[in-house]
C-alpha cells in the first residue's frame, strides 16, 4: 500500500478545486490539522451504470429459470390490492 500524500486542512480549503480534480482522477490524500492526521480523501468507487448486452448475457447464463405463472401468483400474494387513498380518512 502506497502512502497517500498529506495535505493540510488549509491546503484543502485554498486548493479545493485542484485537489478534488486530482481525487476525481483517482488520487487519494491524507488530510492533517495541526500536524495530526484527521481524514482520508479518497475517490468513490463507481460501478458502471449500464452493462453491455454481452455482459448481461454472460451474467444471465447461470440464472435460474422463471415460471411466469408462479411469479405472477407470488406478486399477487404480496401486493396489496386494496387501494387506500391517504386523503380518505
Amino acid at each position: 500500500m502506497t502512502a497517500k500524500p498529506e495535505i493540510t486542512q488549509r491546503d484543502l480549503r485554498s486548493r479545493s478545486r485542484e485537489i478534488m480534480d486530482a481525487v476525481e482522477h483517482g488520487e487519494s490524500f491524507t488530510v492533517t490539522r495541526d500536524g495530526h492526521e484527521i481524514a482520508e480523501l479518497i475517490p468513490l468507487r463507481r460501478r458502471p451504470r449500464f452493462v453491455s448486452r454481452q455482459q448481461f448475457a454472460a451474467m444471465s447464463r447461470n440464472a435460474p429459470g422463471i415460471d411466469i405463472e408462479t411469479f405472477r401468483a407470488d406478486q399477487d400474494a404480496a401486493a396489496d390490492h386494496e387501494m387506500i387513498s391517504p386523503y380518505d380518512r
Side-chain angles (χ1 to χ4, degrees), residues 1 22 33-34 37 40 45 50-51 56 64-65 67 79 87:
M1 182 181 227
R33 178 172 51 199
D34 299 325
E37 295 179 349
E40 290 183 353
R45 293 182 187 186
F50 300 99
V51 294
F56 180 77
D67 176 60
Y87 303 106

Side-chain angles (χ1 to χ4, degrees), residues 22-84:
V23 171
E24 186 176 30
H25 289 94
E27 195 167 343
S28 299
F29 298 91
T30 299
V31 182
T32 63
R33 178 172 51 199
D34 299 325
H36 301 284
E37 295 179 349
I38 60 167
E40 290 183 353
L41 190 55
I42 59 172
L44 290 175
R45 293 182 187 186
R46 297 190 186 264
R47 292 184 179 187
R49 226 175 160 170
F50 300 99
V51 294
S52 70
R53 186 173 291 186
Q54 293 81 11
Q55 288 173 314
F56 180 77
M59 291 185 295
S60 301
R61 277 193 194 102
N62 296 326
I66 296 174
D67 176 60
I68 194 67
E69 296 304 320
T70 303
F71 177 76
R72 285 185 180 149
D74 288 345
Q75 292 295 304
D76 285 342
D80 182 9
H81 295 287
E82 189 174 323
M83 294 268 308
I84 298 173

Side-chain angles (χ1 to χ4, degrees), residues 3-15:
K4 295 173 186 69
E6 287 188 3
I7 56 172
T8 64
Q9 180 181 2
R10 178 174 284 166
D11 284 339
L12 179 58
R13 206 173 30 243
S14 64
R15 300 176 29 225

